[in-house]
Amino acid sequence: MLARYATKTGFRYYAGQITAVHEGGTFEVKFLTKLASKGNPHFIFPEKEDCDEVEFEHIVTKLPHPVPVGGTARAKQQLTFEYDLTSYTI
């Protein structure tokens, strides 16, 4: 899923995985870290979990299942989405 957070000058978007659904319309989300890459961004789950409770109205879209980038063991930890993320500030 893609979550939207407000900043002083606009919005910032973060890709994450919903790990739990809470009463009242909130979700426990484990966020991915974006890596520098050409084309569609690559992500990894950070060593130290980055979790937050996100309200439904901050979820922008459901992303498709991530696809491993492949190659070496290190590269297999990298994930990408078959979804155009170019219009979002991630």
Side-chain angles (χ1 to χ4, degrees), residues 24-79:
T26 61
F27 302 88
E28 186 72 27
V29 177
K30 185 166 103 172
F31 288 102
L32 295 151
T33 299
K34 180 184 167 199
L35 301 173
S37 63
K38 295 178 183 177
N40 213 18
H42 294 173
F43 300 90
I44 60 167
F45 283 105
E47 288 182 27
K48 183 180 178 194
E49 282 191 358
D50 182 10
C51 295
D52 194 14
E53 192 169 313
V54 178
E55 296 178 8
F56 178 76
E57 52 268 7
H58 294 286
I59 295 176
V60 176
T61 188
K62 178 184 175 186
L63 295 172
H65 289 284
V67 178
V69 175
T72 65
R74 182 175 169 185
K76 287 180 183 176
Q77 294 177 354
Q78 296 179 20
L79 306 169

